[in-house]
Amino acid sequence: MPFIPHTDDDLAAMLQTIGVADIDALFDEIPAALRVGGLPAVPPGMSEAAVVRLMRARAARNVDSLCFLGAGAYEHHIPAAVWELATRGEFYSAYTPYQAEASQGTLQLIYEYQSMLAGLVDLDVSNASLYDGATAFAEACLMAVRASRNRNSRRVLVARYLHPLWRKAAETLLRGQAVELVELPSSGGRTDMQALAALDAQDFAAVCLPWPNFLGGLEPVDELTDWAHGRNMLVIAVCNPVAIGLLKPPGKWGAQGADIACGEGQPLGIPLSSGGPYFGFMACRQALVRQMPGRIVGQTLDIEGRRGFTLTLQAREQHIRRSKATSNICTNQGLMVTAATIHLCLLGSEGLRRVAAQCHTNTRALVAALTSLPGVDLQFSPYFHEAVLTLPQPVAPVLARLAAAGILGGHDLQADFPELGHALLVCATELRTAEDIETYRQAMAGALGMAVAT
Amino acid sequence: MPFIPHTDDDLAAMLQTIGVADIDALFDEIPAALRVGGLPAVPPGMSEAAVVRLMRARAARNVDSLCFLGAGAYEHHIPAAVWELATRGEFYSAYTPYQAEASQGTLQLIYEYQSMLAGLVDLDVSNASLYDGATAFAEACLMAVRASRNRNSRRVLVARYLHPLWRKAAETLLRGQAVELVELPSSGGRTDMQALAALDAQDFAAVCLPWPNFLGGLEPVDELTDWAHGRNMLVIAVCNPVAIGLLKPPGKWGAQGADIACGEGQPLGIPLSSGGPYFGFMACRQALVRQMPGRIVGQTLDIEGRRGFTLTLQAREQHIRRSKATSNICTNQGLMVTAATIHLCLLGSEGLRRVAAQCHTNTRALVAALTSLPGVDLQFSPYFHEAVLTLPQPVAPVLARLAAAGILGGHDLQADFPELGHALLVCATELRTAEDIETYRQAMAGALGMAVAT
Amino acid sequence: MRREDLIFEQSRPGRRASTHAPATIAAIDDLPASVLREAPPPLPEVSELQVVRHFTRLSQLNFSIDTHFYPLGSCTMKYNPRVSNTLAMLPGFLARHPLEPDSHAQGVLESLFDLQELLKAATGMSGVSLTPMAGAQGEFAGIAMIRAWHLARGDTGRTQIIVPDAAHGTNPATASMCGCEAIEIPTGPDGDVDIDALRRAVGPKTAGIMLTNPSTLGVFERRISEIADIVHAAGGLLYYDGANLNAILGRALPAGMGFDVVHINLHKTFSTPHGGGGPGAGVVAVNSRLEPFLPIPIVGKRDGSYVWLSEADRPQSIGRLSGFMGNTGILLRAYVYMRLLGAEGMRRVSGYATLNANYLSTRLAAAGFTIAYPQRRASHEFIISLKDVARDTGATAMDFAKALLDRGFHAPTTYFPLLVPECLLIEPTETETRQELDAFVQALCEIRDLAFRDVGELKRAPQTTPVRRLDDVRAARQLDLVWHSRSGTVN
Amino acid sequence: MRREDLIFEQSRPGRRASTHAPATIAAIDDLPASVLREAPPPLPEVSELQVVRHFTRLSQLNFSIDTHFYPLGSCTMKYNPRVSNTLAMLPGFLARHPLEPDSHAQGVLESLFDLQELLKAATGMSGVSLTPMAGAQGEFAGIAMIRAWHLARGDTGRTQIIVPDAAHGTNPATASMCGCEAIEIPTGPDGDVDIDALRRAVGPKTAGIMLTNPSTLGVFERRISEIADIVHAAGGLLYYDGANLNAILGRALPAGMGFDVVHINLHKTFSTPHGGGGPGAGVVAVNSRLEPFLPIPIVGKRDGSYVWLSEADRPQSIGRLSGFMGNTGILLRAYVYMRLLGAEGMRRVSGYATLNANYLSTRLAAAGFTIAYPQRRASHEFIISLKDVARDTGATAMDFAKALLDRGFHAPTTYFPLLVPECLLIEPTETETRQELDAFVQALCEIRDLAFRDVGELKRAPQTTPVRRLDDVRAARQLDLVWHSRSGTVN
Ligand SMILES: Cc1ncc(COP(=O)(O)O)c(C=O)c1O
Ligand SMILES: Cc1ncc(COP(=O)(O)O)c(C=O)c1O
């Protein structure tokens, strides 16, 4: 019996202790009409060896490519130590640390994570994670609506070039509470400061600024932050945590800094893995901490005066506050945070800067290589880490040809942002070499139907 | 600096403490003429990401096949838990347990291993491992020569169908001490009892019996054991540890049982891995324990009377007895034993029996399938787990054609055992399915140039 | 073990685990200084060995399934097969970019498609979406679908979600997240929902009811069909909180009980790891009524290939719940587990989980502990109340919990459900041996003896853990949520 | 932590981790009962969770590099990069059958070929064989090659191997394994070999000399060239025991010192794991004299492909040392490490290992400890003698070792080399921080203070380890090497 340790003797003795004849008798309170004899549509169990063979074959059926696709999920180097440590049984198979004294490993780690994350975004406090970048963004909007000084507003301004899938997810999550996302005016691949005047700014709880934005563009965050703060709005930074190893952190935007920072933790040591599990991060100014969703760990003392760590501010959470909680979140993405914490330690601040700088430099090299092809142009600059190219042809068939040649050439922007024309979003992380970029250039030339010097 | 934690400040402070100007000055006792400025032929260091890419590409350059090749190394199922646990840092990165109180994990594990292994071969005691099956065999011969009642003999009898590579390795290892291996007469794929009379049996220290032998044959171990004991020889069993989950254990051979058992531990949870690291096991009767090479762990008490474990009988070993030690072995194959111990626990006695039985049954099915082809015949029976087939053509080109078709078809016996003709040693472990066997049958038909019904 | 300092305290400026970043820093000359960071982020500066040692040591400070019996009620702490992890982490699965073409991910998609089918079978439902990332998000999806269904019928007034008082906190919180009002109804003395209260609660504003069955009181709601009739008759739908699905797996189907939608915590019933807090997966299954509203993406099959179905294919969907597809890696782990178990194995999960719970509850009752619902059959979990002991000795459920830690057991869930005073909610799961359960009974008896003999000593527990009892009040009052170097710089 | 019972004591008849073996037992009807086992082997019968929990807990009882400073002299306990393990365990490497055609293993063979080249570069030698499975087997191979060389010249009388008294036990033991006599020569007061004694020892029977340089006394043998001349002039060859190669990596070459053959413990210098006792790898490198005699197999290159060279290609080889090729998986780990380090990184190994040792020795000297060779520069390791403390207080090196365990440090090597009384041989390695070294100094000072203050208390160490001081005499006298159930059956 897979994973069940009972011997026949155990079973007999236990049934006798309970005073029933067999296991089925233990289900006697389920009305007979509701009982089923089994699960006929489920196949029989398999040995581990057979499942290993099955899943290896499945893994092999997937197709690996040279990846120039970012768009919210990035192929970075993940040190081998990260997952070796994160999947140690004591981290992997523990629950949420409800009994603090028996979970100091997880708790100290989260405290360290909170410290690193807060430092990275340059805000006061961080929570212990949310599900992913999209839900963190949605929760940040809800939090801002709760915390806003524009009390009656349930509307939140969002830059146009925020991840379109996050926007969609947030719409699902905000719909119930009738919170509405309103798009900021844009031009040239970023928010148009000039056009802001047209907005009735008193009516908004917050403004959300992606950093860099979905196109790799650098929003005028300082001006926008000051503009928003001048109108009683909160400022929500939606940022790539690797990029802010190099870019100005939200806490330093404008005169007072952003109020909330959130984003997708995947670039910090989490494998691409078809989109998950990743984790959402969230940090904020101290004054907002009681509006923050999710678990938070605090430092305290034990009865002998020794330092220790425990879950705190639980009165925000569903298990205490129930229908008045800041969110319904319970299980979060703890293991991903474990990995990200280890990852950040292995990079350190200098390592993180170097990775960010290398990503950018590689993307610049990629842009230079591809725009050397006739008809391929860069749409916007400055950009960071990702860039939008214009192709002389519709993007989708070109990407299909590249994919057949073993290259994930980037993300087609046509559907979400038709105003950009034949627009392709490309990205080269620190893992892409000069040869990789040359391989792409040649493949792109082929996909566009050009001959090219090698 | 990879793996070096010193900051510039540390370096400066440490040099100052020592009182030297720079690191080079620390090498001032090396005569100047002997010093070199570096290692010009060694390439520069690489980032982990680059090495990962390199080694993944190398791994991918290898070619996986459907494996019907055994001949001393077997593809068995290895539960995922085995290596997850064995590579935990506390096992993986510990040294030989010299400080017993700080190494109870490793020590208790070895004690458990010794108990399992001794139980498996049905002898009194086991050591903590030797390098591999071949060296264990050689050490067993040396041990027998030391322990033998035929005091002056440095000759050891060996069945002809012992692994030919082990034989060669043993010859290297025995040469220095002028111990000679003498082959037993054979016929029909195993030792020929009738022909034994011709030997001057008084002149031998021991007899070595493979179980099953290299051809999958079952030696007349009971008769040979009694015959050898009757002539003051020790009996060394060289056995496959999975096979003796089902076959008669050495301790039960003949009237008194074998004296020493040794063999290759690879089938107990060790990956094929191009031939190593594996581990050699060795067990013996209690009376011989002081002649046994290798580390041994014993149970004892601590000063509070609690059970604990420690290395014992160290007076046999090189670090105490130096030139008079039972062997020069120091570092053994500890991590492999760790894995094997976990593996044996996950199988249990019933699991091990089932694996052994399934290997045999699959090999029988394979033999049946292949001998259904005209000209393909079984050479000997009974056999266990491996079998010798005769092909109608030279074996090497057939194997090459099978390899090109993705099948490792077995081991060509021609070079080592020319008396067997076009002989192919085949094996199907518990992992081979009926479809795998059918795949092989069809490929074999093709390789032999036959058309075959599918 | 020596105290494990914070990793920041082990940091020294300029130290680096240098193999993990480019050997030099690329010059950034195209960006204005105004967009760049001035001070480097205050991350620890440590060597790789320091990192490995620190987190290895930290890990050893944890209790976990891999080291301890962990009978945390409602949380289902059972063995997580290592092979599920190994297989989900095969490079061929990890390397999948979420936006790559479907053609490149057929191995993943096939597995997820199969998983959808298995979950339909396990619930009796007709549609499944795998995208919710935890139970609470599954709840959100479920209530959002119920709302969408009402709205699609033009019935805009249904904004109330009925929730029993024993419900998990996520249930009422979810109602709020969805813009609904949570209406609490009481539990009867036998642990079943108070049916009369339910009848009074339903009406034209009723969007639906959320039920856990067996409930978090550890008993099966026997009048579930009647409840279903009442709610359906009132125009509402039924939501099944599947946190306890492991209790009835292969024995009864949520669909058969009249539920319209169910979430399943794969990290409970299907044994994906809890990871010290997550990630989980809270897949939802629905009957045909709600199928059009399932969150996207969903895996479909077209011309023999597997494809992601999205907005265009599922126009009535409540939409997306995550940036991409939710916790795929967790889904793969659950899939591996389900294939290992098969139909019989799944049925054994509920059988032996229930056996263990009833054995433990019978033995504790015999030892004189107060079982919360002694007249009822325990499901896969049950509650003891220490009210009497607390009255007689002053020892609380919390004291018992801490004393268990000293005896090598993780504590059960304490003080939940809220309606049972001084309670321990105990879920042993099917993967523990009888011997472990016996040792647990003995430990509880010893602790009770100690409570009567020397309650002061008991209140000093835990004594063997890395820290002693922690001051939670201080933690909340003197908030210290991030580390700041005392000197301003890390040194 | 609760006591961790033996896995046998947790066993119950009929319990199984059933996913790992066939679901039913195949009938064996073709074999006579006489060849079959009667009673099943007495293996533990446990569940998978029990196994995981047991070995996880056992692992936590160990000190290891991943958890503790481990300055075990001569053993080189430094950080083992996790990536070496991850890459060596890629399925594409693990799945290689040792007898598959070379064409199927080009990725492995290329890596091993490259490794051979790297090792030539690191030693200055011209030929390498990777097959020895540990240092001691490398020694065996080396002495066997020396013997073969003499024999090939027809010089059959050279049967003596000269070994300094400070040598590791494997050196004299190896001489015996090779059928030679070990001739011990003394060490001079400054730690170098007594050259006069050497001169007296060499002669027509001299096959060769085995030297470790720096020696296990932690000092560089300054007159090595003179020694080489003496031995060579006498017709012998020089063997370099490379256990301490990490001390001179990239600073001096064994070939340059006049050695003819060298073994390298990859598990020391090149940081493959020690695994609680192994496996290691003891590759040998030789100059052109000995090249024909290298053990097989060796990786060669032919027509652009990599091939295993064996008997036919290497007719003068001393032969094989293992069933297949030795510890390939370990070789791959070392290869990864060497590629990570590169030339500069290798030179830094010796530089910082020596820096750490000299810093520690300087600080300990300043703190009043007796350094065995104070007039000498420490290499990567050094010796302190506690003879004075022992005389004054009765506290022995063993007491210090045990007291270190209580303070969170593994002990240095004790009582080796044999010629220094009450010694600790201390090798910090390059991967430890200055802060760790400082803490170690402080611990040793505290222990010495305790020795003077209350030696009885000191002798009670260790007090915080899973067991207290163990009775080694009892272990050897009342041999208990395998578990037997008390009742005869496991229950
Ligand atoms: C009864 C019940 N419902 C809902 C949940 C919430 O599930 P999750 O933590 O996966 O969000 C839990 C988990 O603790 C639970 O026990
Ligand atoms: C100086 C010296 N020589 C030889 C050896 C033997 O090496 P191995 O343990 O790898 O067989 C060692 C290892 O302890 C050693 O320190």
Side-chain angles (χ1 to χ4, degrees), chain B residues 95 330-331, chain D residues 74 134-136 139 168 170 216 241 243 265 267-268:
Chain B
Y95 206 79
C330 175
T331 291
Chain D
S74 197
E139 295 174 33
H168 194 264
T170 48
T216 57
D241 176 333
N265 309 66
H267 46 300
K268 300 183 180 196

Side-chain angles (χ1 to χ4, degrees), chain B residues 46-108:
Chain B
M46 293 164 80
S47 69
E48 182 175 305
V51 175
V52 166
R53 192 164 169 170
L54 174 77
M55 295 306 282
R56 286 203 178 153
R58 295 258 170 103
R61 206 166 305 150
N62 299 320
V63 181
D64 287 345
S65 316
L66 198 56
C67 182
F68 295 91
L69 176 54
Y74 303 89
E75 189 197 6
H76 290 293
H77 169 62
I78 304 175
V82 170
W83 284 94
E84 291 257 354
L85 293 167
T87 57
R88 283 175 60 84
E90 301 95 320
F91 287 134
Y92 185 78
S93 79
Y95 206 79
T96 301
Y98 290 140
Q99 292 291 338
E101 298 86 353
S103 306
Q104 287 295 299
T106 291
L107 286 161
Q108 180 170 333

Side-chain angles (χ1 to χ4, degrees), chain C residues 281-304:
Chain C
V283 300
V284 283
V286 295
N287 59 20
S288 54
R289 261 201 269 244
L290 292 179
E291 231 184 295
F293 305 102
L294 280 169
I296 48 173
I298 294 173
V299 184
K301 205 168 175 178
R302 208 147 46 205
D303 308 330

Side-chain angles (χ1 to χ4, degrees), chain C residues 226-470:
Chain C
E226 202 178 334
I227 294 174
D229 290 344
I230 293 168
V231 175
H232 280 146
L237 297 186
L238 279 86
Y239 182 90
Y240 182 86
D241 176 332
N244 290 347
L245 182 70
N246 55 322
I248 59 158
L249 199 59
R251 312 263 165 193
L253 302 173
M257 300 179 208
F259 286 97
D260 300 284
V261 45
V262 36
H263 91 253
I264 306 168
N265 309 66
L266 297 185
H267 46 300
K268 301 183 180 196
T269 300
F270 295 113
S271 206
T272 69
H274 287 91
V283 300
V284 283
V286 295
N287 59 20
S288 54
R289 261 201 269 244
L290 292 179
E291 231 184 295
F293 305 102
L294 280 169
I296 48 173
I298 294 173
V299 184
K301 205 168 175 178
R302 208 147 46 205
D303 308 330
S305 291
Y306 298 94
V307 293
W308 284 119
L309 303 177
S310 62
E311 287 81 357
D313 313 282
R314 316 273 314 176
Q316 283 193 281
S317 165
I318 58 163
R320 293 178 181 271
L321 296 171
S322 62
F324 300 109
M325 166 351 139
N327 289 336
T328 311
I330 299 302
L331 302 172
L332 290 175
R333 285 172 175 80
Y335 179 63
V336 168
Y337 179 74
M338 293 175 89
R339 296 305 303 266
L340 286 167
L341 257 50
E344 259 318 296
M346 290 196 200
R347 209 171 131 87
R348 276 193 296 252
V349 163
S350 54
Y352 284 84
T354 304
L355 177 72
N356 273 2
N358 277 280
Y359 175 74
L360 202 50
S361 121
T362 305
R363 286 220 47 208
L364 287 172
F369 283 92
T370 304
I371 308 295
Y373 296 95
Q375 71 281 34
R376 299 293 306 273
R377 179 77 74 201
S379 66
H380 66 304
E381 62 191 4
F382 65 97
I383 300 175
I384 65 174
S385 169
L386 297 163
K387 193 178 52 165
D388 300 348
V389 184
R391 182 197 57 214
D392 296 344
T393 69
T396 63
M398 185 60 74
D399 296 327
F400 271 71
K402 301 305 180 194
L404 279 168
L405 305 183
D406 277 336
R407 284 160 182 80
F409 301 98
H410 195 279
T413 299
T414 52
Y415 300 101
F416 175 81
L418 308 172
L419 58 159
V420 185
E422 296 299 337
C423 72
L424 298 181
L425 174 59
I426 303 173
E427 180 178 10
T429 85
E430 71 279 10
T431 62
E432 297 292 339
T433 62
R434 172 160 72 113
Q435 292 73 35
E436 194 71 31
L437 304 183
D438 288 341
F440 182 73
V441 171
Q442 193 187 327
L444 277 178
C445 291
E446 271 173 35
I447 295 167
R448 187 183 46 188
D449 289 351
L450 183 60
F452 280 97
R453 206 173 62 241
D454 184 352
V455 74
E457 177 63 14
L458 174 56
K459 285 187 177 291
R460 275 187 287 280
Q463 311 207 22
T464 60
T465 43
V467 293
R468 304 280 305 276
R469 217 176 284 199
L470 289 166

Side-chain angles (χ1 to χ4, degrees), chain D residues 244-259:
Chain D
N244 290 347
L245 183 70
N246 55 321
I248 58 159
L249 200 59
R251 312 263 164 194
L253 301 174
M257 300 179 206
F259 286 96

Side-chain angles (χ1 to χ4, degrees), chain A residues 153-240:
Chain A
S153 175
R154 303 193 76 76
R155 310 212 303 162
V156 172
L157 284 166
V158 199
R160 172 162 176 76
Y161 299 113
L162 188 124
H163 200 304
L165 289 171
W166 296 23
R167 196 57 191 268
K168 287 183 182 151
E171 278 158 7
T172 309
L173 296 167
L174 302 179
R175 194 179 305 126
Q177 297 185 53
V179 172
E180 195 189 337
L181 299 179
V182 176
E183 207 167 272
L184 284 164
S186 67
S187 77
R190 55 182 222 155
T191 301
D192 181 353
M193 286 300 298
Q194 261 67 56
L196 287 182
L199 286 169
D200 175 9
Q202 294 319 110
D203 199 26
F204 297 100
V207 60
C208 299
L209 304 176
W211 185 240
N213 72 22
F214 188 63
L215 308 182
L218 296 172
E219 297 283 340
V221 289
D222 292 321
E223 299 89 319
L224 279 166
T225 298
D226 292 342
W227 175 85
H229 280 157
R231 285 157 185 80
N232 274 342
M233 285 182 235
L234 293 174
V235 174
I236 301 173
V238 185
C239 46
N240 176 326

